[in-house]
Amino acid sequence: MKKIYSFFFVLANFICYAQDSLDLSYYLPQGVTYNKKIPTPKEIIGHEVGEWHVTHDKLMFYMQTLAKVSDRISIENRGSTFEGRPILLLTITSPENHQNLEKIRKEHIALTEEGSSTISTATMPLVVYQGFSIHGNEASGSNASLAYAYYLAAAEGPIIQELLNDLVILIDPSFNPDGLQRFAYWANTNKSQNLIADNNDREFHEVWPGGRTNHYWFDMNRDWLPVQLPESRARIESFHKWLPNILTDHHEMGTNSTFFFQPGEPTRVHPLTPKLNQELTAEISSYHAKALDKIGSLYYSEENYDDYYYGKGSTFPDANGSIGILFEQGSSRGHAQNSENGLLTFPFTIRNQFTTACSTIEAAKNMRVKILNYQKDFYKNTRIEGLKSKTKAIVFGDSKDAAKTWHLAEILQRQKIEFHQLKEDATIHGKWYKKENSYVVPMHQKNHKLIKAMFEKRTTFTDSLFYDISAWTFPLAFNVDYAKVNSLANVGTEITQLKVITGSVSSKSNYAYLFEWNEYYTPKALEEITKKGIRAKVAKSPFTLEGKTYDYGTIMVPVQNQNLNANDLHIFLQKVANSSHLNITGVSTGLTKGIDLGSNDFDPIKKQNIAILVGNGIRSYDAGEIWHLFDTRYKIPITKIDTEYFASSDLSDYTDIIMPSMSSWGVNPINKEYAKKLKEWVKNGGTLIGYRNVAKWLNNNEIIKLHFKSDTLVAKNIAFDQKGDFFGAQVTGGAIFETNLDRSHPINYGYKNKQLAIFRNTNTYIKPDKNSYNNPILYSKKPLLSGYISKEKLNLVKGSAPFQVKKLGKGRVVVFTDNTNFRAFWYGTNKLLMNAIFFGQMM
């Protein structure tokens, strides 16, 4: 007992000593003098780096102060987060370079253009982009940026001067301002004066959803390719403006880990990434190893992490002629925490991040010409690949959905990919493409490799383990028609400015207005209409009127017996059409070929009042994607009910309740009492919509009756040290599958094709209902379109049902086994959820 007491006494004393004696010299290189006119972080923010978790406002204030006092630093605000915080970028280089910064940038970009072979790289500065803490609760990175920016601004001597002459350093001190602020508040408000290192302390256990994500609970390190979030759009704009040679991404991992730097797993590199990229990454890593050896920090490389999904910060650069580098520091998750490697203090984690930020620029300086030449050759070779490609262009579009197609083109524009208008209406490989709804992407261009990364389908792999998703084919994600063509005959005018789509009403009507349900923003329009108290109906069968054919799901707004007169209704619908980017047709008669407009095959649509279950027990990513979809795109109010007070909530006013996927970790508070309450609510007429593993929870609690497929996988000839890989190979981390649709079913209203690509990252498989009409969506017999899935799991996918709906009393229970809203860029299946909302009671 005495020995144990002595150990904790020493430990407590060490923690207090480490904090009391902490100063900036703990991080900074030895033997360097500093300009006393440059303020230290403590002089501006009031505490030493690592003493407290820096809040974003203090971080911002210090960086702005440095830019004012140092002729090495300029700063720009590139926009705002959802919560209104500035998205900053520092440019750090020598004062001489600052005077010619735009000239340096243009010369650097010229290195990637045609005719670059005559450009010398002998004296050209290299560009390094260093970004910190894209996950807000991986805070050592952003805190390290304080000391790092001070070092670059204040260090004196020939070494730093030569380095700043040779480099342009772009610093993104906080990739995720909203998340960083949220986590700093948590860590600081739970900090004790005498630091507690016990893992059970509240300081190390954030409340849901935690600080990892942004305002809408997105993991922003998955948005480099889709660029759907404001923070991502700012950094992608900066990336393409400069095309940095090296981009570093500073993260944290589990407390019991040490420090990781790339290269990662050799067998998990995307095939489009050049081999030389990995060789240069390995050479740079030798500088990290040397620097960490010097301060005695443990580390590892070429394990765990991969270089496959191009939507991550450390991999996106690899498809753009740059070198992406991931750093992962074992996290203190607070100020000091016990770990397998001893006491892990926040300052220690900051020092490792600072050290590798410095080793990065040391490598960049010493390898400058080699890395610049790599980038020049990358773009030269990429253009040659595009020129030799059998595919000369890619055409994509949707003849009935201009907005969704436009949003895919918007991503291409943000990624600086050249694209053109379709020259004229055309039928290509059996699909009809309208000129105004279609685009053409030539393959012979600067970003040929990035185009391939976005449009390719891949089903064979050298490894069966993936750190992230294995497929993200964009035309499948958007559910647009697309074709690879071997000529440029369909190439029209290049689009340099993508104009926003406008809507219209064809003419004023005294009878009725119609719009098909195909356009992406039709749910937004229907919400505006029902919110206004305007009566609307939905067609359950196709019909033809005044020479135009209308499909399943067409919305009709009659003119008579409305709370607006004919003139005001016309004006109102003009506003709806414009804000929702769709065309509304005024008609003069109800007599059609097919169902007449007065038919009982038109069902009334009511105003929906929607809630979503959030909080402990719910997967925050899935919940955030749904919240974001309703709030930012469709402008439909959605009430977030926390699991903490769900039991006492009055549900009687809600027409729909959404249950996102449940968390797979921690104690799940969602119990049988929740099930009983939901069941009664559904019986009284509500529509309950459950996602992914919620299907099994609903089945187990007898809210819906389902039958599941399961495998009988047994490990044979698998050694103990292969156990992890054996089970890892059975994970469906993210792949794309083909489904067949019954277009007459309300869940499929708005889909013009009989096939739909669905993203799947679960292993939940539902057997089809015995009645075929209850299986409006079924996986096909050969479902895999792109990505990895094991043979065992593929057999389970075939013919299974990703959607089921059952009546319960007066209400409906709807389940989706897959995420229809994945990472905000899976536009193609967003409408499935909206159909469940608006048409659920018809099912």
Side-chain angles (χ1 to χ4, degrees):
M1 179 62 74
K2 185 176 181 181
K3 289 182 179 179
I4 295 174
Y5 175 83
S6 298
F7 167 77
F8 280 107
F9 179 81
V10 171
L11 178 61
N13 274 313
F14 170 77
I15 298 172
C16 294
Y17 173 78
Q19 289 289 310
D20 292 342
S21 62
L22 181 66
D23 61 43
L24 206 55
S25 65
Y26 177 68
Y27 309 107
L28 300 176
Q30 301 299 310
V32 178
T33 60
Y34 294 90
N35 183 346
K36 294 184 179 179
K37 293 181 180 180
I38 303 297
T40 65
K42 185 176 181 178
E43 291 172 324
I44 301 301
I45 66 175
H47 63 80
E48 193 54 83
V49 175
E51 183 182 358
W52 295 88
H53 279 257
V54 71
T55 55
H56 186 264
D57 53 343
K58 287 186 175 182
L59 178 69
M60 173 187 69
F61 188 49
Y62 182 66
M63 297 304 177
Q64 291 172 333
T65 301
L66 282 185
K68 289 178 181 178
V69 300
S70 173
D71 58 1
R72 299 175 179 177
I73 300 178
S74 60
I75 193 169
E76 59 181 301
N77 179 4
R78 299 167 294 166
S80 298
T81 68
F82 283 115
E83 294 179 11
R85 294 187 176 85
I87 305 169
L88 302 179
L89 184 74
L90 281 68
T91 302
I92 304 180
T93 189
S94 67
E96 294 76 17
N97 283 346
H98 264 295
Q99 293 174 8
N100 300 289
L101 197 60
E102 183 59 14
K103 181 174 181 287
I104 290 171
R105 187 191 70 81
K106 288 181 177 179
E107 288 176 349
H108 181 77
I109 295 299
L111 198 66
T112 68
E113 304 290 358
E114 287 189 281
S116 64
S117 57
T118 60
I119 299 176
S120 172
T121 56
T123 59
M124 181 180 288
L126 182 141
V127 182
V128 181
Y129 191 130
Q130 295 177 286
F132 300 90
S133 299
I134 200 164
H135 298 140
N137 61 1
E138 299 177 6
S140 58
S142 284
N143 283 267
S145 75
L146 290 165
Y148 184 54
Y150 170 76
Y151 167 70
L152 293 176
E156 297 177 323
I159 294 177
I160 189 71
Q161 188 59 51
E162 186 179 347
L163 186 145
L164 293 175
N165 283 333
D166 284 350
L167 303 178
V168 173
I169 303 169
L170 308 174
I171 294 183
D172 200 324
S174 174
F175 273 146
N176 181 1
D178 294 347
L180 183 75
Q181 186 79 11
R182 192 185 315 134
F183 179 68
Y185 163 80
W186 177 264
N188 291 338
T189 54
N190 285 286
K191 177 187 176 185
S192 301
Q193 289 187 25
N194 298 296
L195 298 186
I196 305 300
D198 185 345
N199 311 104
N200 291 321
D201 192 79
R202 190 169 188 261
E203 182 178 354
F204 313 120
H205 301 274
E206 299 170 78
V207 294
W208 193 96
R212 178 182 177 87
T213 52
N214 77 339
H215 175 77
Y216 285 102
W217 311 330
F218 279 91
D219 182 339
M220 292 197 301
N221 195 39
R222 305 299 187 267
D223 194 41
W224 289 76
L225 201 55
V227 282
Q228 295 301 299
L229 307 169
E231 302 90 340
S232 310
R233 292 174 176 180
R235 66 175 180 262
I236 291 302
E237 182 67 27
S238 297
F239 181 93
H240 286 296
K241 178 181 177 180
W242 276 99
L243 288 179
N245 301 96
I246 299 173
L247 185 145
T248 60
D249 191 14
H250 292 254
H251 288 251
E252 290 181 356
M253 52 184 166
T255 301
N256 290 321
S257 300
T258 58
F259 191 92
F260 168 85
F261 50 80
Q262 282 180 317
E265 288 277 1
T267 59
R268 302 181 203 165
V269 178
H270 198 287
L272 290 175
T273 299
K275 183 180 179 182
L276 183 54
N277 173 287
Q278 295 295 290
E279 293 173 358
L280 291 171
T281 304
E283 186 174 347
I284 293 170
S285 74
S286 68
Y287 288 83
H288 308 320
K290 181 180 177 182
L292 293 171
D293 285 342
K294 188 175 181 179
I295 61 173
S297 288
L298 295 174
Y299 55 84
Y300 66 97
S301 186
E302 296 188 294
E303 299 176 48
N304 294 2
Y305 299 95
D306 65 28
D307 252 339
Y308 195 83
Y309 172 48
Y310 284 126
K312 295 187 301 179
S314 56
T315 311
F316 173 81
D318 299 341
N320 289 277
S322 305
I323 299 168
I325 298 176
L326 171 68
F327 296 119
E328 291 275 358
Q329 165 63 52
S331 179
S332 65
R333 280 294 186 271
H335 293 85
Q337 189 174 175
N338 293 326
S339 80
E340 292 176 359
N341 298 298
L343 181 69
L344 183 62
T345 68
F346 187 40
F348 177 83
T349 67
I350 293 171
R351 184 173 66 160
N352 285 340
Q353 301 277 25
F354 173 89
T355 298
T356 49
C358 291
S359 61
T360 298
I361 57 175
E362 181 187 2
K365 177 186 179 301
N366 293 340
M367 298 171 61
R368 180 178 58 83
V369 174
K370 183 187 296 186
I371 293 174
L372 285 168
N373 286 336
Y374 164 75
Q375 187 178 57
K376 179 167 70 170
D377 291 341
F378 175 93
Y379 281 101
K380 175 185 174 182
N381 294 334
T382 296
R383 280 195 178 87
I384 293 172
E385 288 176 22
L387 186 62
K388 292 182 177 180
S389 174
K390 292 180 180 179
T391 299
K392 298 304 177 185
I394 297 173
V395 180
F396 69 91
D398 189 315
S399 59
K400 288 196 171 186
D401 192 344
K404 188 176 59 181
T405 309
W406 185 92
H407 279 298
L408 177 51
E410 182 187 31
I411 295 175
L412 299 182
Q413 186 173 70
R414 292 189 185 281
Q415 296 292 4
K416 308 304 178 186
I417 291 172
E418 175 192 332
F419 61 99
H420 297 243
Q421 193 78 54
L422 184 67
K423 191 174 183 179
E424 58 189 8
D425 293 356
T427 298
I428 304 171
H429 299 171
K431 296 290 185 181
W432 182 47
Y433 295 86
K434 289 172 62 177
K435 176 182 177 180
E436 61 268 28
N437 286 20
S438 304
Y439 303 96
V440 186
V441 186
M443 296 303 287
H444 179 216
Q445 59 172 291
K446 177 178 179 176
N447 287 333
H448 168 78
K449 200 174 286 287
L450 188 59
I451 297 167
K452 288 186 68 175
M454 293 178 68
F455 282 85
E456 74 168 6
K457 293 193 291 186
R458 190 179 293 271
T459 56
T460 58
F461 305 91
T462 57
D463 200 316
S464 59
L465 302 181
F466 295 87
Y467 185 73
D468 201 79
I469 61 177
S470 60
W472 52 88
T473 312
F474 276 78
L476 297 180
F478 278 74
N479 185 36
V480 295
D481 298 324
Y482 76 112
K484 297 178 180 179
V485 295
N486 56 11
S487 104
L488 299 176
N490 291 307
V491 176
T493 305
E494 182 180 355
I495 296 175
T496 54
Q497 285 285 55
L498 196 59
K499 295 180 180 178
V500 176
I501 297 170
T502 57
S504 66
V505 177
S506 65
S507 60
K508 181 183 174 183
S509 173
N510 290 314
Y511 193 85
Y513 294 93
L514 301 171
F515 60 91
E516 289 190 279
W517 191 244
N518 302 85
E519 280 286 354
Y520 183 77
Y521 286 104
T522 47
K524 180 177 183 291
L526 191 53
E527 164 66 17
E528 289 186 68
I529 290 167
T530 56
K531 182 179 180 180
K532 191 74 172 178
I534 303 296
R535 289 187 302 107
K537 289 188 171 186
V538 58
K540 296 190 288 185
S541 299
F543 60 93
T544 300
L545 177 59
E546 296 177 346
K548 183 177 179 180
T549 299
Y550 294 88
D551 208 346
Y552 297 105
T554 294
I555 302 298
M556 177 189 65
V557 179
V559 174
Q560 299 304 314
N561 300 320
Q562 298 281 16
N563 59 15
L564 296 177
N565 62 41
N567 188 57
D568 289 343
L569 180 62
H570 178 239
I571 294 171
F572 170 72
L573 290 179
Q574 283 180 317
K575 293 178 181 178
V576 170
N578 193 53
S579 66
S580 298
H581 318 290
L582 75 150
N583 296 316
I584 299 176
T585 302
V587 296
S588 58
T589 178
L591 186 63
T592 77
K593 292 181 180 179
I595 57 168
D596 293 330
L597 299 194
S599 168
N600 289 333
D601 251 12
F602 277 90
D603 271 12
I605 303 297
K606 297 179 180 179
K607 172 75 175 72
Q608 303 298 295
N609 190 15
I610 307 151
I612 181 172
L613 201 60
V614 303
N616 284 339
I618 298 296
R619 194 169 187 270
S620 60
Y621 294 163
D622 295 39
E625 289 160 357
I626 294 169
W627 177 25
H628 175 268
L629 178 70
F630 278 83
D631 198 36
T632 70
R633 292 191 183 158
Y634 294 138
K635 312 299 182 185
I636 299 176
I638 183 168
T639 300
K640 303 183 296 298
I641 302 179
D642 200 287
T643 55
E644 183 177 345
Y645 55 81
F646 175 82
S648 60
S649 299
D650 181 2
L651 306 181
S652 59
D653 288 339
Y654 301 109
T655 58
D656 305 82
I657 295 177
I658 304 171
M659 289 186 69
S661 180
M662 295 182 180
S663 299
S664 58
W665 55 272
V667 177
N668 196 325
I670 305 172
N671 54 36
K672 289 188 178 295
E673 291 303 311
Y674 285 69
K676 182 179 178 181
K677 183 169 185 170
L678 286 167
K679 193 171 185 177
E680 288 304 310
W681 173 81
V682 173
K683 285 181 176 180
N684 288 326
T687 299
L688 178 62
I689 303 169
Y691 272 98
R692 305 214 285 166
N693 58 13
V694 171
K696 290 188 175 180
W697 184 86
L698 293 171
N699 182 71
N700 293 340
N701 285 280
E702 300 179 344
I703 298 176
I704 189 172
K705 184 64 175 176
L706 300 170
H707 300 281
F708 297 91
K709 291 183 174 185
S710 58
D711 60 37
T712 55
L713 188 68
V714 176
K716 294 181 179 180
N717 301 316
I718 300 295
F720 182 79
D721 63 356
Q722 297 173 321
K723 177 182 176 182
D725 289 351
F726 171 75
F727 285 107
Q730 298 301 317
V731 173
T732 307
I736 306 169
F737 299 88
E738 179 187 68
T739 61
N740 294 321
L741 305 183
D742 170 4
R743 294 179 57 254
S744 71
H745 195 284
I747 197 64
N748 294 324
Y749 286 175
Y751 289 98
K752 69 179 182 64
N753 296 330
K754 292 182 179 180
Q755 283 75 40
L756 175 65
I758 287 184
F759 179 84
R760 162 173 279 267
N761 58 352
T762 63
N763 281 332
T764 299
Y765 311 94
I766 298 176
K767 293 180 180 179
D769 189 86
K770 62 182 180 180
N771 295 309
S772 61
Y773 53 77
N774 288 331
N775 302 309
I777 310 175
L778 285 178
Y779 282 111
S780 66
K781 293 179 180 179
K782 295 182 178 180
L784 182 60
L785 294 174
S786 187
Y788 169 81
I789 187 171
S790 70
K791 291 181 180 179
E792 295 84 0
K793 294 298 187 286
L794 181 58
N795 286 330
L796 293 174
V797 172
K798 294 175 181 178
S800 67
F803 164 85
Q804 286 284 275
V805 57
K806 306 284 186 183
K807 291 183 180 180
L808 180 62
K810 296 178 181 179
R812 302 293 187 277
V813 182
V814 175
V815 295
F816 294 100
T817 61
D818 306 309
N819 185 352
T820 62
N821 317 293
F822 185 66
R823 292 181 182 169
F825 80 97
W826 216 267
Y827 280 72
T829 50
N830 286 158
K831 190 157 285 183
L832 293 176
L833 172 58
M834 307 317 296
N835 288 350
I837 294 290
F838 284 107
F839 312 135
Q841 289 299 309
M842 296 166 53
M843 299 178 190

